[in-house]
């Protein structure tokens, strides 16, 4: 266990150096967007990023607001499942905004997303840790999955790593898609499960 602890304690997370993504506000408040880009952002963009300072000119990280425009993702998801719903849905935009200078001004927030220690910092050290983690997979019945166990730190890889670990402890592959099964088989090799 000493080696496993050393590996896991060596993982650094993005919130250790940048707190911007620690907390996101879920909402439909379009007033946070400039009027001149509102129509374009809410119809065809997946993110809107705004800088609140020029600190980057002085060698500091800029203060940013990153708004994920979830409502622009809906049509492609619906179409992928053969659903011909209106692109407008119920007509409201759906956002998750991070790094807002004043989150309390959001009208009618729906909730929040908390991301502490969710995203490891992608670095050569992290990639080495990921590759070494496969050497301890399954030791004493313990398996690792999620963003810290995959080399790409993506949502899809994190989900697939969970499926790979579930299969390692006896679950059946849950889909009828040979191409996806082939991708998962490659990930299982990388994970060491």
């Amino acid at each position: 266990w000493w080696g496993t602890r050393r590996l896991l304690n060596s993982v650094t997370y993005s919130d250790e150096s940048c707190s911007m993504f620690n907390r996101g506000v879920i909402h439909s408040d379009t007033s946070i967007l400039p009027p001149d880009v509102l129509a374009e952002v809410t119809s065809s963009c997946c993110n809107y990023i705004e800088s609140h300072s020029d600190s980057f000119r002085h060698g500091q990280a800029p203060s940013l607001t990153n708004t994920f425009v979830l409502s622009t993702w809906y049509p492609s998801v619906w179409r992928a499942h053969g659903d011909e719903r209106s692109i407008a849905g119920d007509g409201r935009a759906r956002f998750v905004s991070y790094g807002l200078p004043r989150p309390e001004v959001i009208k009618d927030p729906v909730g929040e997303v908390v991301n502490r220690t969710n995203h490891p910092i992608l670095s050569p050290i992290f990639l080495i840790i990921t590759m070494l983690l496969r050497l301890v997979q399954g030791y004493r019945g313990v398996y690792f999955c999620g963003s810290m166990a995959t080399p790409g730190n993506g949502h899809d890889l994190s989900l697939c790593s969970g499926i790979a670990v579930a299969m390692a402890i006896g679950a059946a592959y849950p889909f009828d898609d040979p191409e996806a099964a082939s991708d998962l088989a490659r990930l299982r090799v990388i994970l060491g499960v």
Side-chain angles (χ1 to χ4, degrees):
W1 284 109
W2 175 86
T4 304
R5 276 199 305 270
R6 288 282 291 186
L7 279 176
L8 297 177
N9 285 333
S10 298
V11 176
T12 55
Y13 293 89
S14 58
D15 62 329
E16 294 173 20
S17 59
C18 175
S19 62
M20 185 178 103
F21 286 108
N22 282 359
R23 208 175 229 35
V25 179
I26 305 167
H27 63 95
S28 294
D29 185 358
T30 58
S31 71
I32 67 159
L33 299 172
D36 60 322
V37 297
L38 177 63
E40 179 184 5
V41 169
T42 57
S43 66
S44 63
C45 295
C46 62
N47 285 69
Y48 178 77
I49 301 171
E50 184 176 9
S51 175
H52 300 289
S53 72
D54 65 350
S55 57
F56 64 93
R57 292 182 190 172
H58 305 291
Q60 300 170 352
S63 172
L64 302 172
T65 295
N66 187 343
T67 296
F68 291 89
V69 188
L70 303 180
S71 48
T72 60
W73 303 357
Y74 296 166
S76 59
V77 172
W78 291 331
R79 284 188 208 109
H81 295 282
D83 192 333
E84 294 301 322
R85 289 186 219 190
S86 163
I87 287 177
D90 68 0
R92 291 186 298 165
R94 299 285 193 264
F95 304 119
V96 178
S97 295
Y98 293 92
L100 291 164
R102 296 183 51 226
E104 67 276 3
V105 302
I106 295 291
K107 297 178 191 117
D108 301 319
V110 176
E112 68 178 15
V113 178
V114 178
N115 288 317
R116 280 185 224 88
T117 65
N118 282 3
H119 297 280
I121 294 174
L122 291 177
S123 67
I125 296 293
F126 173 72
L127 294 175
I128 291 168
I129 292 167
T130 300
M131 292 296 110
L132 291 173
L133 194 58
R134 65 194 310 256
L135 301 175
V136 297
Q137 285 282 23
Y139 180 69
R140 294 188 179 175
V142 177
Y143 292 87
F144 301 94
C145 61
S147 61
M148 54 72 60
T150 64
N153 187 19
H155 298 150
D156 50 349
L157 283 174
S158 296
L159 172 65
C160 290
S161 72
I163 294 169
V165 166
M167 291 174 66
I169 60 175
Y173 178 68
F175 306 110
D176 286 329
D177 184 333
E179 190 175 342
S182 175
D183 283 346
L184 185 65
R186 285 190 288 276
L187 180 60
R188 290 184 73 185
V189 170
I190 292 169
L191 294 174
V193 295

